[in-house]
């Protein structure tokens, strides 16, 4: 049945006129009537306000709930990265959110997200670090460093990539890792197993692998030691600077090319310098935080 608004409005108007006529006749009841009407109107108004308040509160609660509980898709959020760095003479032990253990060598920086993505765990390294990656076959762990990528599912390995180095080195202690150039396809990679070394030469843009006989040459720094095998004194000097927070100066530049083979286990800098200078038949001067090598 259709509703005729004009008829209904006229009917309401007639009822109002009837009520007005009744008021003019019943003057004695006027005060009581208006009191009754006022109470009725006030009650109706209060009822309306209560209903409106309920809807208002419900609407506000819905808005607050949306903002409080709704989480945008991770892809819509800008990734927030944090940096952990060490100075010369420092090392840092870290345990990441996934349980992975990291030892960061001196003068190094690790960049990682505050929360790993749902399908991958990625970090960026400048310097040197040892990783003991918590196993997760559904969520690979990636280490990016100077145009190279190490990909693992769960293993222990070390990565070295200092600015002065001409190559990125990856040495595997346990398990297997894949090592490739950053822009190469996933199938163009080197697979490294235990006691194997992978190098990415920055000057030639090439990858190479080989087995190492002495893994301590690459991981002795974890225990605070330094081990060298036919390494130029210039490289030894950089490791001394990082390990002991000193500055190394060569009085004669030709000394930089001298080759050193030594296992420097002493915590004392003077003992270490005594071993180096005796092995190479050179002299040194230690002045506070400065080492001067001399013929």
């Amino acid at each position: 049945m259709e509703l005729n608004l004009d008829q209904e409005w006229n009917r309401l108007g007639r009822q109002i006129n009837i009520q007005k006529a009744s008021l003019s006749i019943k003057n004695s009841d006027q005060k009581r009537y208006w009191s009754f009407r006022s109470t009725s109107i006030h009650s109706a108004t209060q009822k309306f306000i209560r209903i409106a308040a309920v809807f208002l509160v419900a609407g506000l609660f819905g808005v607050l709930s949306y903002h409080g509980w709704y989480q945008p898709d991770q892809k819509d959020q800008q990734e927030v990265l944090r940096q952990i760095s060490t100075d010369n003479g420092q090392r840092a032990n870290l345990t990441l959110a996934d349980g992975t253990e990291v030892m960061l060598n001196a003068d190094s920086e690790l960049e990682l997200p505050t929360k790993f993505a749902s399908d991958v765990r990625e970090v960026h390294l400048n310097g040197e670090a040892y990783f003991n990656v918590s196993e997760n076959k559904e969520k690979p762990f990636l280490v990016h460093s100077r145009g190279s990528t190490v990909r693992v599912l769960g293993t222990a390995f070390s990565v070295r990539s200092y600015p002065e180095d001409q190559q990125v080195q990856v040495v595997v202690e346990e398990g297997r890792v894949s090592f490739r150039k950053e822009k190469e396809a996933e199938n163009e990679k080197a697979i490294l197993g235990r006691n194997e070394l992978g190098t990415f030469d920055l000057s030639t843009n090439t990858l190479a692998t080989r087995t190492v006989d002495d893994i301590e040459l690459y991981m002795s720094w974890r225990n605070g030691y330094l081990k060298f095998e036919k390494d130029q004194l210039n490289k030894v000097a950089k490791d001394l600077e990082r390990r002991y927070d000193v500055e190394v100066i060569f009085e004669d530049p030709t000394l930089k090319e001298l080759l050193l083979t030594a296992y420097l286990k002493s915590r004392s800098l003077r003992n270490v310098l005594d071993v180096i200078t005796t092995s190479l038949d050179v002299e040194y001067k230690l002045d506070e935080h400065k080492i001067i090598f001399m013929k």
Side-chain angles (χ1 to χ4, degrees):
M1 181 180 66
E2 295 184 358
L3 180 65
N4 192 315
L5 294 179
D6 291 334
Q7 291 180 359
E8 290 297 321
W9 181 255
N10 292 333
R11 184 173 61 83
L12 179 61
R14 287 194 299 271
Q15 289 181 347
I16 293 174
N17 291 332
I18 292 173
Q19 289 180 356
K20 288 183 178 179
S22 299
L23 285 176
S24 62
I25 295 173
K26 299 179 181 180
N27 291 326
S28 61
D29 294 332
Q30 186 177 25
K31 183 177 180 180
R32 184 177 59 184
Y33 174 81
W34 280 111
S35 176
F36 170 77
R37 284 290 295 164
S38 176
T39 302
S40 300
I41 294 172
H42 181 67
S43 299
T45 303
Q46 285 185 328
K47 184 176 180 181
F48 173 78
I49 292 174
R50 286 197 297 269
I51 294 174
V54 169
F55 281 104
L56 178 61
V57 171
L60 289 174
F61 180 75
V63 172
L64 293 175
S65 298
Y66 175 84
H67 287 286
W69 295 333
Y70 171 71
Q71 295 295 331
D73 193 297
Q74 291 293 330
K75 295 180 180 179
D76 296 334
Q77 295 181 340
Q78 185 175 1
E79 186 179 41
V80 179
L81 299 177
R82 59 188 177 118
Q83 294 179 341
I84 301 172
S85 60
T86 54
D87 294 328
N88 286 341
Q90 296 180 336
R91 286 177 297 165
N93 291 305
L94 316 170
T95 300
L96 307 186
D98 66 327
T100 293
E101 297 176 350
V102 181
M103 178 178 284
L104 197 61
N105 201 2
D107 190 26
S108 300
E109 180 181 273
L110 187 69
E111 188 177 73
L112 65 161
T114 54
K115 183 179 180 181
F116 286 127
S118 60
D119 58 344
V120 70
R121 298 167 287 173
E122 290 186 275
V123 300
H124 298 261
L125 172 68
N126 288 311
E128 188 168 22
Y130 172 83
F131 297 87
N132 188 358
V133 178
S134 178
E135 184 175 0
N136 187 338
K137 295 181 179 179
E138 304 299 324
K139 200 170 182 178
F141 192 97
L142 305 182
V143 180
H144 302 285
S145 185
R146 299 177 72 194
S148 67
T149 299
V150 182
R151 177 187 176 101
V152 302
L153 299 178
T155 187
F157 61 100
S158 179
V159 180
R160 178 182 172 115
S161 179
Y162 283 112
E164 75 275 4
D165 294 338
Q166 295 302 311
Q167 56 184 214
V168 179
Q169 293 183 343
V170 179
V171 181
V172 180
E173 184 180 49
E174 295 178 6
R176 291 160 61 87
V177 309
S178 76
F179 184 40
R180 65 180 175 87
K181 291 178 284 185
E182 191 78 50
K183 296 182 180 180
E184 295 295 332
E186 178 62 26
N187 58 353
E188 297 181 14
K189 60 188 176 184
I191 302 298
L192 306 175
R194 184 176 181 180
N195 289 352
E196 288 189 322
L197 166 69
T199 58
F200 170 48
D201 193 303
L202 298 173
S203 60
T204 62
N205 197 37
T206 56
L207 282 175
T209 64
R210 66 181 176 88
T211 301
V212 296
D213 297 324
D214 187 0
I215 201 171
E216 283 298 299
L217 288 169
Y218 307 92
M219 296 192 179
S220 60
W221 63 268
R222 293 168 51 202
N223 299 313
Y225 307 149
L226 296 174
K227 194 168 187 177
F228 304 99
E229 183 177 356
K230 296 181 179 179
D231 287 312
Q232 288 189 346
L233 189 56
N234 190 43
K235 175 185 180 300
V236 174
K238 292 300 296 183
D239 287 347
L240 289 176
E241 289 179 337
R242 294 190 176 102
R243 171 68 180 83
Y244 296 99
D245 190 19
V246 294
E247 178 186 3
V248 177
I249 299 174
F250 292 95
E251 191 176 71
D252 186 338
T254 62
L255 297 178
K256 297 179 181 181
E257 300 177 2
L258 295 178
L259 301 180
L260 176 68
T261 297
Y263 195 5
L264 309 175
K265 298 184 67 173
S266 177
R267 305 284 182 175
S268 168
L269 176 58
R270 284 195 177 275
N271 291 343
V272 166
L273 292 175
D274 288 340
V275 172
I276 293 174
T277 53
T278 299
S279 301
L280 299 178
D281 192 24
V282 297
E283 295 182 356
Y284 76 90
K285 179 181 178 181
L286 180 59
D287 183 12
E288 293 185 354
H289 294 283
K290 185 179 296 184
I291 302 170
I292 303 174
F293 283 115
M294 304 169 290
K295 282 188 176 180

